[in-house]
Amino acid sequence: MKKISSLYRTLAVAALALGGAVGTASASSTVFQVAGTPSKTELASSANPSVVGQTVTFTATVTDDPDDATAGVGTPAGTVDFVEEGTIVCDDVALDLSGQAICERTYSSVATRSVAASYSGDTAYAPSSSAALSQVVQQAGSKTTLSSSDADNQTVSGQSVTYTATVSPVSPGSQPTGGTVTFTDGGANISGCVSKSLSSAQATCATAFKAGTHSVVARYSGTSDYRGSASSAITQAVAKASTHTALTSSDSDNKTVSGQSVTFTARISVVSPASGTPGGTVTFKDGGNTIGGCGAKALSSGVAICSAKLTVGSGTHSITAAYSGDANDLTSVSNAISHTVV
């Protein structure tokens, strides 16, 4: 085939020298027309379907048209235009020595795009175009990891802890943008930590748990271009908070006469880093014995009150307040107040 083509081209040159014609000629002048050898352009994608953010390499391969009898004049030269949805996206890409040209494209959204390659032709080959290729771009994958500001995942009731969710891409996709993260505890949404927007691929949740064991998970919502994902669970152990009981008396010098009413006030607070207002009860005691009418006094805003009339007995009374504790707070006992009754 190559010999036939070469012979044809040689005859054309010879005819030019002799004033003859090979091909077609006009009556007034001699015009020599040698038709270009038909070419064939094929287009291939390195990944189809691909995902958002993945770089796709389109390869156009130009060859002799195997169905044409004049094929075989060598490897085509020239350039290729890559056309996507009617717009040239890679312009005048030169063919390499093997008759190939490449165009790299990275897609930022889910879609199906029509891509074709158009060969310009050269001195030996006629132009040709590939069939359209449908490039399918799908959602990219995501991965969500969760970390805690508490290194050993052990806190006390009411202690603040910050959870950070980091959303990263799954290769070969790109870094997810948009979407939100919801933090859950045992499958239930954590108050104030629902649909938190991503900032620099992260979302945070600051919360304080009650005593117990908590299973915290971060769930990325995903978008139209990125699939959602969930983190592994962090098990947060929350212990009861330590408490402090402070006792005061309405009698400034802690001296009364027998039968005189005196009011004792117990204030219960949690010890840092815990927070919150304790519940439960307080029992007021005199020398280890419960003061009449002052047993298991319910706390109100962390305060319990005992009004009593102490009588002459041992002379000096040792008054204490014993806090019962509750589901989130440990027990505690106040320092004693020495109260003199005369």
Side-chain angles (χ1 to χ4, degrees):
M1 298 293 286
K2 289 186 177 180
K3 290 181 179 180
I4 294 174
S5 178
S6 299
L7 177 61
Y8 185 83
R9 292 166 66 86
T10 301
L11 290 173
V13 173
L16 283 170
L18 296 172
V22 177
T24 60
S26 66
S28 59
S29 61
T30 303
V31 177
F32 299 94
Q33 182 178 7
V34 180
T37 301
S39 65
K40 181 178 182 180
T41 300
E42 296 177 297
L43 181 63
S45 168
S46 62
N48 195 10
S50 60
V51 298
V52 171
Q54 179 179 1
T55 298
V56 179
T57 301
F58 294 104
T59 301
T61 303
V62 183
T63 59
D64 293 333
D65 187 343
D67 297 326
D68 186 82
T70 64
V73 297
T75 302
T79 62
V80 173
D81 288 341
F82 293 82
V83 181
E84 183 181 305
E85 301 294 335
T87 300
I88 296 175
V89 291
C90 290
D91 187 19
D92 290 335
V93 182
L95 290 174
D96 63 16
L97 295 178
S98 60
Q100 291 187 326
I102 64 172
C103 172
E104 291 186 340
R105 297 284 290 157
T106 303
Y107 299 103
S108 61
S109 61
V110 169
T112 298
R113 293 170 169 81
S114 178
V115 184
S118 177
Y119 170 54
S120 65
D122 64 5
T123 56
Y125 286 94
S128 60
S129 295
S130 72
L133 181 153
S134 291
Q135 180 66 39
V136 178
V137 184
Q138 300 177 336
Q139 284 180 310
S142 68
K143 180 181 179 181
T144 301
T145 55
L146 182 64
S147 61
S148 168
S149 61
D150 182 60
D152 58 3
N153 297 321
Q154 293 183 349
T155 56
V156 294
S157 178
Q159 180 179 351
S160 181
V161 59
T162 298
Y163 296 99
T164 300
T166 302
V167 181
S168 57
V170 173
S171 181
S174 62
Q175 174 64 53
T177 57
T180 61
V181 175
T182 293
F183 298 82
T184 61
D185 173 19
N189 292 345
I190 298 174
S191 177
C193 295
V194 177
S195 299
K196 304 284 282 186
S197 297
L198 287 178
S199 176
S200 299
Q202 293 185 325
T204 59
C205 165
T207 190
F209 289 122
K210 298 298 185 181
T213 300
H214 301 264
S215 180
V216 182
V217 173
R219 302 180 187 279
Y220 172 56
S221 66
T223 67
S224 59
D225 296 318
Y226 302 96
R227 293 195 299 273
S229 56
S231 72
S232 298
I234 286 180
T235 300
Q236 186 75 41
V238 182
K240 288 186 177 184
S242 297
T243 60
H244 175 73
T245 300
L247 180 63
T248 59
S249 169
S250 61
D251 186 65
S252 59
D253 59 2
N254 296 321
K255 289 182 180 181
T256 56
V257 297
S258 181
Q260 180 182 347
S261 180
V262 61
T263 298
F264 298 102
T265 301
R267 288 180 171 82
I268 316 302
S269 59
V270 295
V271 177
S272 181
S275 64
T277 302
T281 62
V282 173
T283 295
F284 296 83
K285 296 183 178 182
D286 177 7
N289 298 313
T290 300
I291 298 172
C294 292
K297 302 288 284 186
L299 286 175
S300 175
S301 299
V303 176
I305 296 174
C306 165
S307 293
K309 294 180 179 181
L310 301 178
T311 59
V312 174
S314 61
T316 300
H317 299 259
S318 180
I319 310 300
T320 56
Y323 170 54
S324 66
D326 64 7
N328 297 296
D329 305 292
L330 296 171
T331 63
S332 59
V333 178
S334 72
N335 291 329
I337 289 179
S338 294
H339 194 90
T340 302
V341 180
V342 296

